[in-house]
Amino acid sequence: MLLGLTTALVATVCFGFACVFQARGARSAPRADGVRVGLLAALARSWQFLLGTGLDIVGFALSVVALRSLPLFAVQAVTNASLAITAVAAVWLLGARLGRTDIAAILAVVVGLTLVAVGSGREGREYAGTAFHVALLATAVLMLLLTVVLARRGGNAVAAGLGLLAGVGFGITSLAVRVIDAADPVSLLTDPAAYALALGGLGGYLAYALALQRGTVTAATAAGTVAETFGPALVGALALGDRARPGFAWSAVAGFAIAVGGTFLLARFGEVEAAPQEHEGPQADPPADRTEGEEPSASAGSVPHSADR
């Protein structure tokens, strides 16, 4: 269990800093209305963007180790708390500002993860029947189809829906990692969970990117956080036998709820804010629906947050 908690925490730090470095690298590249070869080449020349991508890869590898040795509810709560790391890193590296709500949310994440660690028991089964593997693949295909349908519309409600689908995709990835049969190449290539892993991850990225184009960062990230944490945790408990430490179920449940709640409040850091000095030209009027005291949302140059990627 100690190995699982350690790898999950290190993965969280990797994901949190990856978001910030990718944002800095993306802002250093020329602006473009779409994906262009020149833009991709510029990103490939940015050491900050490459460092962020490398941290994402390391974080994913570490999360795989955690998913094979801890209950899903513990891993999901820990790795999704990377937004707290992103928030702190954004202050240090991007000059972002934390409000009182942000600070309280970060403290809530820390308290929640401590309670999760105390209440976590051993993981349940690392295998599931063929029907479970097929269900993962079918869910991934359905998620992609719904993404195509919603992508034709716009607005915050659609952004939230796409964010929810992104969370489902990333949740499928976590579940597939847990049950995938990697005993040999033949088993891997014939396992529906392997294809669910690929479709869930790629589909999740696609849905999240589309969500950010159609609504606010908070709407997209908050919905994704809920789906990505509660979905796999519930499936792990009902279908894979994940359990809390005997006598500490209250700690696991309370910690999970507190950590996810804190992450929910930090949803705006799903796309990192630009430093105030990096804005050029006159400042635009704030959107009419922004609440008083809320920090401005991310700049157009930042990139989607990732977890379990």
Side-chain angles (χ1 to χ4, degrees):
M1 187 177 75
L2 180 59
L3 174 63
L5 283 173
T6 301
T7 52
L9 287 170
V10 176
T12 300
V13 174
C14 289
F15 289 143
F17 275 92
C19 186
V20 176
F21 281 118
Q22 286 172 335
R24 294 187 70 172
R27 281 204 291 273
S28 69
R31 299 260 179 174
D33 295 332
V35 177
R36 301 287 186 272
V37 175
L39 174 60
L40 296 177
L43 291 176
R45 290 193 299 267
S46 169
W47 68 267
Q48 294 180 104
F49 191 86
L50 293 177
L51 176 59
T53 301
L55 287 172
D56 260 344
I57 294 172
V58 172
F60 177 76
L62 291 171
S63 69
V64 169
V65 176
L67 285 164
R68 304 288 287 193
S69 56
L70 276 181
L72 278 160
F73 71 82
V75 178
Q76 296 303 102
V78 173
T79 55
N80 275 285
S82 62
L83 285 178
I85 303 296
T86 298
V88 174
V91 172
W92 176 30
L93 297 173
L94 298 181
R97 296 183 301 276
L98 295 180
R100 287 190 296 270
T101 300
D102 298 323
I103 295 173
I106 292 172
L107 292 176
V109 168
V110 173
V111 172
L113 293 185
T114 301
L115 291 173
V116 166
V118 170
S120 293
R122 300 185 67 85
E123 84 281 9
R125 298 185 301 276
E126 291 184 358
Y127 63 88
T130 303
F132 186 89
H133 291 229
V134 172
L136 285 179
L137 179 56
T139 305
V141 172
L142 178 60
M143 180 268 297
L144 285 172
L145 292 176
L146 291 175
T147 297
V148 172
V149 172
L150 284 182
R152 300 174 181 174
R153 302 178 180 275
N156 271 343
V158 172
L162 287 168
L164 191 70
L165 290 174
V168 170
F170 294 136
I172 290 171
T173 300
S174 298
L175 289 165
V177 166
R178 173 70 171 272
V179 303
I180 199 168
D181 185 1
D184 56 74
V186 174
S187 299
L188 184 63
L189 291 174
T190 57
D191 188 352
Y195 299 97
L197 172 64
L199 290 179
L202 294 175
Y205 270 119
L206 173 63
Y208 189 70
L210 291 170
L212 291 178
Q213 292 178 344
R214 284 156 177 75
T216 64
V217 174
T218 301
T221 307
T225 296
V226 171
E228 188 179 354
T229 50
F230 282 96
L234 184 62
V235 173
L238 296 179
L240 299 178
D242 285 350
R243 294 291 182 270
R245 183 178 168 190
F248 286 86
W250 64 270
S251 180
V253 173
F256 183 86
I258 293 172
V260 173
T263 301
F264 190 89
L265 292 177
L266 292 169
R268 69 187 182 87
F269 284 97
E271 192 178 34
V272 184
E273 292 182 0
Q277 63 267 26
E278 292 183 16
H279 291 291
E280 297 179 1
Q283 187 172 5
D285 292 331
D289 59 349
R290 181 182 299 166
T291 56
E292 184 177 354
E294 181 180 347
E295 295 291 337
S297 62
S299 72
S302 49
V303 296
H305 159 71
S306 54
D308 291 337
R309 326 314 172 238

